[in-house]
């Protein structure tokens, strides 16, 4: 008879559903308990402009100790070369997907030293190849605007120049082809703080 299997299925469901819900609750609690000790991966980050907006409202600079990976730290623009994108803390896939990444090992805008910014040659930095010596990059940070004048443009496997003072080191793959990153050649653009004319 058909009724017997249906009754059996109903009995199993009456027992299985509450047991499953209880087990799910126990597992969920274990996951939350383990989260603080598990390694954070790039997929755990998402671009966030909260801290940037708070500092901008007060007109104060961001502090490195308060930044976390993928926090917005500025906006980059070069009108002559049609480069423009948001800047996020840390050079990683998440930061470069929504703009360009600012190295966590370098300085922040207005604090002196090297500010390394890396972007994708097929994304936010696809027009970086159009930059010329003398072009001006404008960075909008929470505490105001900073302007940097392009001094050198080189292609190589690594940047080995000696630059004094505060400067932007903009980098991307030298080619926008799919596997261009494998040839290890990068386009490096160095722009120093200030808008003096370059000859």
């Amino acid at each position: 008879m058909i009724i017997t299997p249906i009754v059996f299925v109903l009995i199993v469901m009456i027992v299985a559903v509450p047991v499953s819900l209880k087990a799910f609750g126990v597992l969920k609690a274990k996951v939350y308990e383990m989260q603080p000790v598990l390694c954070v991966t790039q997929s755990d980050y998402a671009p966030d402009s909260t801290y940037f907006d708070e500092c901008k409202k007060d007109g104060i600079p961001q502090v490195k100790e308060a930044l976390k990976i993928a926090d917005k730290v500025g906006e980059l623009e070069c009108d002559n070369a049609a480069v423009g994108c948001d800047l996020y803390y840390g050079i990683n896939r998440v930061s470069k997907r929504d703009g360009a990444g600012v190295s966590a090992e370098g300085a922040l805008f207005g604090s002196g030293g090297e500010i390394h910014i890396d972007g994708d040659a097929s994304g936010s930095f696809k027009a970086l190849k159009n930059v010329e010596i003398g072009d001006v990059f404008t960075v909008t940070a929470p505490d105001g605007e900073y302007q940097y004048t392009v001094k050198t443009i080189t292609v190589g496997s690594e940047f080995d120049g000696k630059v004094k003072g505060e400067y932007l080191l903009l980098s991307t793959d030298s080619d926008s082809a799919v596997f261009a990153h494998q040839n290890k050649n990068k386009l490096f653009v160095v722009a120093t703080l200030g808008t003096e004319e370059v000859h």
Side-chain angles (χ1 to χ4, degrees):
M1 242 171 122
I2 286 186
I3 295 175
T4 306
I6 292 174
V7 170
F8 178 73
V9 168
L10 288 173
I11 291 170
V12 168
M13 285 180 63
I14 289 169
V15 173
V17 170
V19 168
S20 298
L21 289 174
K22 181 69 174 164
F24 176 75
V26 170
L27 289 174
K28 184 177 170 185
K30 275 287 179 205
V31 168
Y32 284 136
E33 185 182 315
M34 294 299 293
Q35 264 183 333
V37 295
L38 293 173
C39 292
V40 178
T41 64
Q42 284 186 21
S43 59
D44 293 319
Y45 297 116
D48 186 3
S49 63
T50 308
Y51 180 47
F52 177 86
D53 294 337
E54 287 171 3
C55 291
K56 190 170 186 178
K57 185 178 71 177
D58 296 333
I60 58 171
Q62 290 171 304
V63 179
K64 282 183 81 168
E65 292 75 27
L67 286 166
K68 58 186 186 307
I69 298 300
D71 273 355
K72 184 175 177 179
V73 292
E75 297 159 0
L76 180 73
E77 204 173 312
C78 178
D79 292 334
N80 192 48
V83 174
C85 63
D86 288 337
L87 301 173
Y88 296 95
Y89 194 59
I91 296 176
N92 56 60
R93 181 177 48 81
V94 176
S95 294
K96 295 198 303 185
R97 182 182 60 220
D98 283 33
V102 176
S103 174
E105 296 170 11
L108 289 177
F109 312 106
S111 60
E114 177 184 288
I115 303 162
H116 183 191
I117 303 173
D118 190 70
D120 283 336
S122 58
S124 59
F125 275 10
K126 64 183 169 194
L128 194 63
K129 63 182 178 289
N130 301 327
V131 169
E132 299 174 355
I133 291 175
D135 284 352
V136 174
F137 279 90
T138 301
V139 172
T140 303
D143 58 329
E145 282 190 354
Y146 296 89
Q147 294 190 311
Y148 302 85
T149 304
V150 175
K151 295 294 180 71
T152 61
I153 302 168
T154 58
V155 174
S157 58
E158 59 184 51
F159 177 72
D160 55 2
K162 303 278 188 277
V163 184
K164 293 180 180 174
E166 181 172 327
Y167 66 97
L168 299 182
L169 173 61
L170 303 149
S171 64
T172 190
D173 292 322
S174 60
D175 190 337
S176 59
V178 176
F179 297 108
H181 64 280
Q182 291 182 349
N183 71 18
K184 303 289 189 224
N185 258 355
K186 301 275 278 183
L187 169 65
F188 296 105
V189 175
V190 174
T192 57
L193 185 62
T195 57
E196 70 276 8
E197 195 171 317
V198 180
H199 301 286

